Amino acid sequence: MISLIFSKSFTQQEPLPQEAIDNAVTVLQGGRLHRYNVIPGETSQAALLEQEFADYQGTRYCLACTSGGYALHIALRCLGLEPGEPVLTNAFTLAPVPGAIHNAGGRPVLVETRADLKIDLDDLKNKAGRTSARFLMLSHMRGHIADMDAVVDLCSEYDINLVEDCAHTMGASWKNVKSGNFGKIACFSSQTYKHLNSGEGGFLTTNDPQIMARAIIHSGSYMLFENHIARPAREIFESVKLSTPNYSGRMDNLRASILRPQLKDLDTNCERWNQRYQVLANKLDNIKCISLPERSRDEHYVGSSIQFSINLDSPDKIPEFIDTCLKRGVEIKWFGASEPKGFTSRFDSWRYFENDYELPNTMQILSNLCDMRVPLTFSKADCALIGDIIEQVIGEVS
Ligand SMILES: *Cc1c(COP(=O)(O)O)cnc(C)c1O
């Protein structure tokens, strides 16, 4: 039997829309790249983007900043995290999440993962009680959205401030409420591999005027906060402006100018991701040894990546499966590797904070969890071919 081969790159994004390129050229020609470098009567690209993203999310306020990780960091600062305080978060998340907690002076407390890749609410409750943590940084990791009614109830029962990490759920929703509208603050990323692409970039959204005033000052507004439009009234800044440090992390006009046209295409692109995801999911679901995490009917996810667990007769065969797929052009990440590789880091490689908890369930789940990007440069036929290659390789190694 001939081996099927795939030849496209798993990290190739689509070109930016022409309107984004034209906007960027206009900003470059004007030379006013700094968000506060405006001429009289002008509203900066960054300020316009914030208003448009707030409108998209249906929130009152939005700050655009340098990265998703930066937004997560200042989110905790805005909520008054004290040095050394515990912050509950998913054990199954990406390195910038515990990194943001550490950067804000907090101590990550990792919570177990369920087989459907969502946060384990029993363990969350347990650790909320044990640590009296005032914060939960909930990572909707790889777009898997937990039962948000239960999360919100638990947070109110234990007086926990909820920060949502929506790096993988921009455009997604739970029971028709947009992901990011369940907690005090939501953070998003516009880094190249997320749902909008400005290379680097992030957003922080909230409905709380005090929080947004602090976030704007933290981001380095040099008291030019009146240039923002998705912001609270000027008076709100009076009470916070001298007690809030500048942690410079502003969005610039060049990136804002290329994000604004992309935002208009976001929902269409989410649909396009889901069409590709569905082709892959249908294929993979029919392969014995492979199982896909369960999805709730209430979850309207964005399939910009796909996860599956693989159960070969011996776990030693997983590296062989991964290697063979790679030789055929199919790039799969595996969370079970002993050393962190590329973007796929695992909680036991975060050694800079004390983690007193055993996480046997997460360890078990990650040991056979595979992860694959689904870039929009893949056609549905490409996705079908990838599914066939995976099936073929499984047949060979098992
Ligand atoms: C990418 C990512 C972030 C942080 O985004 P950056 O913009 O790269 O800082 C946070 N959480 C998760 C789960 C991510 O994948």
Side-chain angles (χ1 to χ4, degrees):
M1 189 171 55
I2 34 163
S3 304
L4 299 168
I5 302 282
F6 185 66
S7 56
K8 286 192 185 172
S9 164
F10 278 72
T11 50
Q12 181 60 54
Q13 309 305 321
E14 293 191 298
L16 298 198
Q18 189 57 44
E19 192 187 342
I21 297 168
D22 295 343
N23 281 0
V25 170
T26 305
V27 169
L28 291 171
Q29 284 168 338
R32 295 185 300 282
L33 272 69
H34 194 282
R35 68 167 297 161
Y36 299 123
N37 186 4
V38 284
I39 51 178
E42 186 183 27
T43 306
S44 75
Q45 291 291 310
L48 290 168
L49 171 67
E50 286 165 345
Q51 186 58 58
E52 288 159 4
F53 194 75
D55 292 344
Y56 176 81
Q57 268 301 114
T59 51
R60 289 170 75 184
Y61 312 123
C62 174
L63 170 74
C65 58
T66 46
S67 72
Y70 179 85
L72 290 167
H73 156 227
I74 63 166
L76 292 170
R77 301 261 184 195
C78 293
L79 290 167
L81 177 85
E82 300 283 346
E85 266 201 272
V87 178
L88 298 156
T89 193
N90 315 51
F92 177 48
T93 186
L94 221 67
V97 176
I101 296 170
H102 187 266
N103 197 12
R107 179 171 59 84
V109 175
L110 303 179
V111 179
E112 281 274 37
T113 315
R114 306 193 322 185
D116 60 9
L117 305 182
K118 289 155 193 167
I119 196 164
D120 181 331
L121 295 177
D122 296 326
D123 194 46
L124 177 62
K125 197 176 167 107
N126 191 344
K127 283 170 181 163
R130 255 202 282 172
T131 62
S132 305
R134 297 192 295 141
F135 309 94
L136 166 61
M137 186 163 272
L138 179 65
S139 188
H140 303 299
M141 178 62 170
R142 291 296 187 259
H144 298 275
I145 306 173
D147 176 342
M148 292 310 294
D149 298 332
V151 169
V152 167
D153 284 351
L154 200 148
C155 287
S156 84
E157 184 185 341
Y158 286 86
D159 251 325
I160 290 173
N161 293 288
L162 174 61
V163 177
E164 292 183 74
D165 167 22
C166 301
H168 303 158
T169 55
M170 185 190 279
S173 54
W174 166 265
K175 288 190 178 168
N176 294 321
V177 175
K178 283 227 168 82
S179 181
N181 287 352
F182 293 88
K184 282 254 166 72
I185 300 180
C187 300
F188 301 82
S189 170
S190 61
Q191 189 231 82
T192 292
Y193 302 105
K194 314 297 163 91
H195 300 170
L196 299 176
N197 177 11
S198 58
E200 304 285 354
F203 297 101
L204 184 155
T205 59
T206 184
N207 288 323
D208 183 309
Q210 288 280 335
I211 289 173
M212 186 47 68
R214 283 202 199 104
I216 289 173
I217 306 273
H218 274 322
S219 77
S221 68
Y222 302 117
M223 303 304 164
L224 296 167
F225 47 81
E226 286 186 68
N227 285 318
H228 290 243
I229 42 181
R231 63 161 170 89
R234 192 195 313 171
E235 308 80 77
I236 307 290
F237 290 86
E238 290 307 316
S239 59
V240 301
K241 69 182 193 188
L242 302 182
S243 57
T244 305
N246 174 331
Y247 297 136
S248 239
R250 295 166 301 274
M251 165 76 66
D252 58 87
N253 287 330
L254 183 57
R255 283 187 281 172
S257 75
I258 65 176
L259 286 169
R260 293 182 60 215
Q262 290 181 62
L263 187 55
K264 291 190 245 174
D265 295 336
L266 177 58
D267 285 341
T268 307
N269 283 341
C270 292
E271 271 311 306
R272 293 173 64 220
W273 264 304
N274 286 352
Q275 289 163 1
R276 286 154 181 77
Y277 181 97
Q278 213 46 61
V279 171
L280 275 165
N282 292 344
K283 285 267 177 193
L284 297 180
D285 223 9
N286 282 320
I287 304 175
K288 68 167 175 47
C289 338
I290 283 188
S291 48
L292 294 170
E294 241 175 78
R295 294 280 199 179
S296 160
R297 279 167 164 274
D298 295 320
E299 194 186 355
H300 183 83
Y301 56 86
V302 182
S304 52
S305 69
I306 190 162
Q307 293 69 47
F308 57 92
S309 55
I310 174 160
N311 295 291
L312 298 168
D313 45 6
S314 148
D316 305 341
K317 287 186 175 169
I318 297 182
E320 188 189 340
F321 164 74
I322 303 284
D323 287 348
T324 312
C325 284
L326 188 60
K327 286 195 189 108
R328 312 271 165 92
V330 173
E331 201 181 311
I332 298 172
K333 305 280 175 64
W334 174 44
F335 284 96
S338 53
E339 289 295 321
K341 257 195 192 161
F343 282 76
T344 310
S345 58
R346 197 174 59 194
F347 68 88
D348 54 332
S349 57
W350 308 324
R351 309 255 169 94
Y352 51 84
F353 61 89
E354 219 171 289
N355 179 15
D356 335 317
Y357 302 104
E358 296 274 307
L359 296 156
N361 298 347
T362 304
M363 212 48 186
Q364 166 62 35
I365 285 152
L366 296 186
S367 69
N368 56 12
L369 185 67
C370 295
D371 182 27
M372 200 166 66
R373 292 181 199 283
V374 187
L376 290 175
T377 45
F378 290 1
S379 65
K380 284 183 261 180
D382 290 334
C383 294
L385 173 59
I386 291 167
D388 290 337
I389 293 174
I390 292 174
E391 184 169 25
Q392 198 177 48
V393 173
I394 294 262
E396 289 171 27
V397 305
S398 61

